[in-house]
Amino acid sequence: MSDYDFLYDHQEETTTRFVCFVGNALHRFDLAIMTTTRYYGKKLVIDLQSGRSAVIGPDDLAEEGYLEHVFKINEEQAQELNEFLSQIIGSIHFTDI
């Protein structure tokens, strides 16, 4: 095995929710939403169709253009995704302190 300079190497049990839905814009979302103790309570959201992912919290959902940029979707699709994620993305908890 090669020598690596690890910044961290951490394993933990996580909870993953798999969800598929179609919004009014007729865009299909296939998502894996991972809850972990890392990322200050934010959730890791993975678009299973494109392979794009982001660590998302309520502050990210409030940022204009964030979902469009990260997931390479249009404004209407991003609005539908934001409406869905707003229901499941909770508040940020600082568990690393």
Side-chain angles (χ1 to χ4, degrees):
M1 185 170 175
S2 299
D3 291 329
Y4 296 104
D5 291 329
F6 289 100
L7 299 179
Y8 60 83
D9 183 359
H10 176 81
Q11 292 183 2
E12 70 173 272
E13 295 289 324
T14 62
T15 302
T16 306
R17 176 180 177 181
F18 295 94
V19 64
C20 176
F21 70 93
V22 177
N24 292 331
L26 300 179
H27 180 83
R28 177 178 168 161
F29 292 95
D30 288 295
L31 305 173
I33 303 159
M34 185 179 301
T35 303
T36 174
T37 61
R38 303 187 69 78
Y39 312 122
Y40 304 103
K42 293 185 176 188
K43 297 191 186 304
L44 176 59
V45 179
I46 305 163
D47 179 346
L48 298 172
Q49 290 185 22
S50 69
R52 292 182 177 91
S53 63
V55 176
I56 298 179
D59 56 329
D60 302 303
L61 293 177
E63 186 176 331
E64 186 175 333
Y66 180 75
L67 294 177
E68 292 97 313
H69 172 73
V70 170
F71 293 110
K72 307 294 186 228
I73 55 179
N74 66 39
E75 186 176 344
E76 185 179 15
Q77 295 164 343
Q79 182 179 359
E80 291 178 344
L81 181 58
N82 191 318
E83 288 171 7
F84 171 75
L85 291 176
S86 293
Q87 297 174 32
I88 60 167
I89 302 289
S91 59
I92 297 175
H93 303 285
F94 293 98
T95 57
D96 292 349
I97 297 177

